[in-house]
Amino acid sequence: MSTSDKKVTAAVIMIGDEILSGRTQDKNLGFIATWLGERGIRVMEARVVPDIEDEIVDAVNTLRAKFDYVFTSGGIGPTHDDITADSIAAAFGVPIGHHPEAMARLQAHYDASDIEFNDARKRMARIPDTATLIDNPVSKAPGFQIGNVFVMAGIPSVMQAMITGIEDRLTGGARMLACSVAGQIAEGVIAEPLGVLQDKYPQVSMGSYPYYKDGTFGANLVFRTTDADLLAKVQNEAIEMVRALGVEPVVGDGT
Amino acid sequence: MSTSDKKVTAAVIMIGDEILSGRTQDKNLGFIATWLGERGIRVMEARVVPDIEDEIVDAVNTLRAKFDYVFTSGGIGPTHDDITADSIAAAFGVPIGHHPEAMARLQAHYDASDIEFNDARKRMARIPDTATLIDNPVSKAPGFQIGNVFVMAGIPSVMQAMITGIEDRLTGGARMLACSVAGQIAEGVIAEPLGVLQDKYPQVSMGSYPYYKDGTFGANLVFRTTDADLLAKVQNEAIEMVRALGVEPVVGDGT
């Protein structure tokens, strides 16, 4: 993939009633965010929207105007409730039809498996005009790219195979580097010196993530910057800061 | 809690860079959606937004106008990156200050624990004007309600204790009932008869959720309606539909 010096941003849209009902725990956002982050693309917002065309259109059009890339997952299967392709076509104001290359790939796949390529399966070849296909090495039915929007499957293994295949279509920016310094220390204690450290290094993003385990609070301090030397310097100061509070810090890579 | 005959809706906003970076897997949406669903409140949208005031304000103001309730999690701790309370005050255009009752609760808590009630900890008593407190039985620092927006902690155990405590403030609608019929059957096979069933019962929401395991595709069909008799009738027809395809269905409660 190519790289750019500017900050490159993305949004993720997860499409499906099943996440909003609590039935399914989303497993895609974490993977997409981590994978993009490693390539210098920062996820700045994520939305979960229901299987309702107007809602999908609204989210896609808002987020594609706001960020460099938008990645969607879910709703591109053969059943009546899979309305993502039609919704994306509506968002872009383009017609949708059976894409010849998508039809050919699916025809070959089903022929080889001696499975009927029925009308429902042909639905998976419906692609908005001007879109380009995204390969699906797992189950063949392709995703697609239109403008800066990448439309992928919801099944995690299929989504992961799809996004891996589009790496060379993306331009990454400077990679955000991270480290963490954790300790069994209350946030109320670390807050003041951490605030001082943040004021000293405003160009470093500093987050404190509390946890509560076995009746004790701890905090994981995460530092992020694109500057490796600066990150090392801040990490050392954070280690000293935690030690000064009488706690032995646990240093990590921020993941 | 009281109940209403109308459809009652909600949105969930998860606030925090750590979910967008992929470092933390959200565990709150599933709990909130399930808990609300059991009380007849349907989560229609969820957003993950970064620790940036304008982004929080925008999400809160959009979603509180669109749905009956908004629930937020995250960003109400004592550190500099906890900006949720200030952002909510900005969203509602009200001042924010140290809330006397919140101060009293925290003072008593820290006095009892012989811990200093320092400025950072006092930050957790900053509550927008006109808001009412939400109890925090775990670590005392309260959440708050302003208008139809409920502001809760991000730590799952604390958030769960908070939402449980506000049940009396909510009005639930007709509870959405669900059942599922699953089978080791490709979506491309089930799609056509499922579409026929959907056309026959348009008032029942029907979703097909494919899964891929050990090289085989299966589908979990989920049916949702507020009408118990209708749900039982549709479930029986779905069971027959799957059996007619030569697969023994596995019936579940839709969760």
Side-chain angles (χ1 to χ4, degrees):
Chain A
M1 66 189 288
S2 56
T3 57
S4 152
D5 285 339
K6 74 181 186 85
K7 180 176 174 182
V8 181
T9 60
V12 177
I13 304 175
M14 291 155 285
I15 298 164
D17 292 344
E18 72 278 22
I19 302 173
L20 292 171
S21 73
R23 201 185 71 80
T24 299
Q25 164 76 47
D26 165 64
K27 298 193 182 91
N28 287 338
L29 176 57
F31 182 92
I32 295 172
T34 302
W35 190 88
L36 290 174
E38 288 167 356
R39 285 152 185 84
I41 299 171
R42 301 181 209 171
V43 174
M44 300 298 292
E45 182 170 340
R47 295 191 187 182
V48 188
V49 297
D51 298 317
I52 297 173
E53 182 168 305
D54 286 349
E55 299 296 328
I56 299 169
V57 168
D58 183 52
V60 167
N61 281 341
T62 300
L63 298 174
R64 72 186 173 99
K66 193 169 174 185
F67 302 107
D68 295 312
Y69 298 114
V70 173
F71 298 85
T72 79
S73 69
I76 62 168
T79 56
H80 70 277
D81 56 325
D82 290 305
I83 61 167
T84 297
D86 287 271
S87 303
I88 300 285
F92 280 83
V94 299
I96 182 168
H98 290 93
H99 187 287
E101 171 64 19
M103 285 291 282
R105 288 187 195 183
L106 287 167
Q107 181 81 61
H109 170 63
Y110 289 116
D111 283 353
S113 318
D114 204 21
I115 291 173
E116 185 196 358
F117 187 29
N118 59 21
D119 286 346
R121 291 180 168 122
K122 285 175 184 163
R123 228 171 101 76
M124 294 189 288
R126 297 181 76 248
I127 305 285
D129 281 12
T130 74
T132 55
L133 301 185
I134 295 176
D135 291 344
N136 171 355
V138 179
S139 50
K140 304 308 169 192
F144 60 86
Q145 174 191 356
I146 179 166
N148 61 342
V149 178
F150 296 82
V151 176
M152 306 185 294
I155 300 179
S157 58
V158 181
M159 183 282 293
Q160 291 171 21
M162 284 182 169
I163 200 169
T164 305
I166 57 171
E167 183 166 3
D168 59 11
R169 300 192 200 178
L170 305 173
T171 298
R175 186 178 160 188
M176 189 63 97
L177 306 172
C179 71
S180 62
V181 178
Q184 285 292 107
I185 190 166
E187 276 201 307
V189 172
I190 200 76
E192 191 266 331
L194 182 66
V196 170
L197 194 64
Q198 177 72 80
D199 288 343
K200 184 175 174 187
Y201 299 106
Q203 69 275 51
V204 178
S205 161
M206 302 187 186
S208 171
Y209 304 110
Y211 55 88
Y212 183 71
K213 201 174 166 185
D214 302 331
T216 309
F217 277 93
N220 195 17
L221 310 180
V222 177
F223 304 91
R224 292 192 192 93
T225 169
T226 55
D227 182 334
D229 293 339
L230 182 60
L231 187 67
K233 188 179 166 78
V234 168
Q235 179 178 280
N236 285 334
E237 294 194 28
I239 288 169
E240 290 312 310
M241 177 182 76
V242 171
R243 282 207 183 117
L245 294 166
V247 173
E248 189 52 30
V250 178
V251 176
D253 62 1
T255 59
Chain B
M1 67 187 287
S2 56
T3 57
S4 152
D5 286 339
K6 75 182 186 86
K7 181 176 174 181
V8 180
T9 60
V12 177
I13 305 175
M14 290 153 287
I15 299 165
D17 292 346
E18 73 276 21
I19 303 173
L20 293 171
S21 73
R23 200 185 72 81
T24 299
Q25 164 76 45
D26 165 64
K27 297 193 181 92
N28 286 338
L29 176 57
F31 183 92
I32 295 172
T34 302
W35 190 89
L36 290 174
E38 289 167 354
R39 284 152 185 83
I41 299 171
R42 301 180 209 171
V43 174
M44 299 299 292
E45 183 170 341
R47 295 191 187 182
V48 189
V49 297
D51 298 317
I52 298 173
E53 181 168 307
D54 286 349
E55 299 296 330
I56 299 170
V57 168
D58 184 52
V60 167
N61 280 342
T62 301
L63 297 174
R64 72 185 172 101
K66 192 169 173 185
F67 302 107
D68 295 310
Y69 298 114
V70 173
F71 298 85
T72 79
S73 69
I76 62 167
T79 57
H80 70 276
D81 57 325
D82 289 306
I83 62 166
T84 297
D86 288 271
S87 303
I88 299 285
F92 280 83
V94 298
I96 182 169
H98 291 93
H99 187 287
E101 170 65 18
M103 286 291 281
R105 288 187 195 182
L106 287 167
Q107 182 80 61
H109 170 62
Y110 289 116
D111 283 354
S113 319
D114 204 22
I115 292 174
E116 186 196 358
F117 187 30
N118 60 20
D119 285 347
R121 292 182 168 120
K122 285 176 184 164
R123 229 172 100 75
M124 294 190 287
R126 295 181 77 247
I127 305 285
D129 282 11
T130 73
T132 53
L133 302 184
I134 295 175
D135 292 344
N136 172 355
V138 179
S139 51
K140 305 308 170 190
F144 60 86
Q145 173 190 357
I146 179 165
N148 61 342
V149 178
F150 297 81
V151 176
M152 306 185 295
I155 300 180
S157 58
V158 181
M159 183 282 294
Q160 291 171 21
M162 283 183 169
I163 200 169
T164 305
I166 57 171
E167 185 167 2
D168 288 350
R169 303 191 200 178
L170 305 173
T171 299
R175 186 177 160 188
M176 189 64 97
L177 305 172
C179 71
S180 62
V181 178
Q184 285 293 106
I185 189 165
E187 276 201 307
V189 172
I190 201 77
E192 192 267 331
L194 182 66
V196 170
L197 194 64
Q198 177 73 80
D199 288 343
K200 184 174 173 188
Y201 298 106
Q203 68 275 51
V204 178
S205 160
M206 302 185 186
S208 172
Y209 304 110
Y211 56 89
Y212 182 72
K213 202 174 167 186
D214 304 330
T216 309
F217 279 92
N220 196 17
L221 311 179
V222 177
F223 304 91
R224 292 192 192 91
T225 170
T226 55
D227 181 333
D229 292 340
L230 182 60
L231 187 67
K233 187 178 166 80
V234 169
Q235 178 177 283
N236 285 334
E237 293 194 29
I239 288 169
E240 289 312 310
M241 176 182 77
V242 172
R243 281 206 183 118
L245 294 165
V247 173
E248 189 53 29
V250 178
V251 176
D253 62 2
T255 57

